[in-house]
Amino acid sequence: GQNIDQPTEMTATEGAIVQINCTYQTSGFNGLFWYQQHAGEAPTFLSYNVLDGLEEKGRFSSFLSRSKGYSYLLLKELQMKDSASYLCASLNTGGFKTIFGAGTRLFVKA
Amino acid sequence: DVKVTQSSRYLVKRTGEKVFLECVQDMDHENMFWYRQDPGLGLRLIYFSYDVKMKEKGDIPEGYSVSREKKERFSLILESASTNQTSMYLCASTTDSSNQPQHFGDGTRLSIL
């Protein structure tokens, strides 16, 4: 079957670093997306990994290990505005089907 | 910037009504999607379309149909609304390149009474 697991909720302190993990079991894997979704708003694209390794983009980095079916999103220098849900999504080959995880709600406290 | 526009942010309908949710994108994207988002379940694909007049079932198509008469517009139809279709509905679009992210509309929160 196809499945994506990520923690339901996380809490971190402003200025700190937080790592949000995602494990996936999907057929025909063709890359992994991370999206950010603030409450009541549309998901917005953060990162895409298709090769193993770390992709850095400002305060956000994303890591992928294809052999382990594992990814994480790393947020540095946390700000209050980073409080949101973070969606891990696996893209399958042969089409445009993206499997989304249930999302991780991150609470950033002062 | 890509703009995906959904016709309503909030909608209240009654059981048994036929409901139309409209989505328009302005970037000439080939692919369009309809999802529903429920707490604890994440985004679930209802239908998608990769070209005008083409449609494919997603994971939960029962009770829904879609229409893509023009490239920029993708409509979701609830043939006979039921209370278990109360949800947040999100439309998305993307280009033909498979590694491109989806661009989402702001969503329609639909309540069926």
Side-chain angles (χ1 to χ4, degrees):
Chain A
Q2 303 190 87
N3 195 45
I4 294 186
D5 288 313
Q6 52 182 131
T8 304
E9 285 185 3
M10 299 182 72
T11 300
T13 304
E14 195 175 16
I17 299 173
V18 70
Q19 178 174 314
I20 303 174
N21 296 323
C22 170
T23 58
Y24 62 90
Q25 301 100 38
T26 60
S27 57
F29 177 78
N30 195 32
L32 193 118
F33 290 97
W34 284 95
Y35 291 86
Q36 180 190 59
Q37 186 178 24
H38 286 99
E41 297 183 11
T44 55
F45 168 73
L46 286 178
S47 67
Y48 172 71
N49 295 67
V50 65
L51 301 176
D52 285 359
L54 188 68
E55 295 274 347
E56 296 187 73
K57 197 185 289 187
R59 293 190 298 115
F60 292 8
S61 304
S62 56
F63 172 84
L64 178 67
S65 169
R66 295 178 69 125
S67 61
K68 294 181 179 175
Y70 167 69
S71 173
Y72 68 72
L73 181 69
L74 193 71
L75 292 75
K76 302 176 187 175
E77 301 168 17
L78 279 173
Q79 301 175 10
M80 300 298 286
K81 68 179 182 180
D82 296 329
S83 292
S85 288
Y86 291 86
L87 311 181
C88 173
S90 167
L91 178 66
N92 289 7
T93 55
F96 317 101
K97 196 166 179 188
T98 303
I99 308 297
F100 284 85
T104 299
R105 288 188 67 190
L106 174 66
F107 299 93
V108 180
K109 59 182 183 178
Chain B
D1 256 2
V2 177
K3 184 70 176 175
V4 179
T5 303
Q6 294 184 228
S7 52
S8 305
R9 287 301 304 271
Y10 301 94
L11 207 54
V12 180
K13 297 290 182 181
R14 297 207 173 272
T15 305
E17 280 193 70
K18 191 168 186 177
V19 181
F20 293 86
L21 301 183
E22 306 287 347
C23 175
V24 177
Q25 50 94 4
D26 66 358
M27 281 301 291
D28 202 37
H29 283 171
E30 291 78 11
N31 309 311
M32 297 187 75
F33 308 81
W34 274 106
Y35 296 90
R36 61 179 284 177
Q37 185 174 32
D38 300 290
L41 296 178
L43 286 162
R44 292 182 291 166
L45 182 64
I46 305 171
Y47 268 97
F48 67 98
S49 169
Y50 52 89
D51 202 351
V52 175
K53 297 192 185 294
M54 306 303 289
K55 60 184 179 184
E56 293 282 343
K57 291 180 180 179
D59 298 315
I60 51 165
E62 298 77 19
Y64 303 94
S65 62
V66 290
S67 173
R68 186 121 181 248
E69 295 297 318
K70 293 184 177 181
K71 191 174 186 180
E72 67 270 19
R73 184 179 296 271
F74 192 35
S75 303
L76 179 69
I77 304 148
L78 285 67
E79 297 292 343
S80 177
S82 63
T83 55
N84 63 12
Q85 292 177 310
T86 291
S87 186
M88 170 68 85
Y89 289 87
L90 287 162
C91 174
S93 72
T94 189
T95 67
D96 218 14
S97 301
S98 62
N99 65 346
Q100 294 301 305
Q102 295 186 19
H103 298 267
F104 288 86
D106 285 336
T108 296
R109 186 164 292 283
L110 175 65
S111 296
I112 306 296
L113 305 179

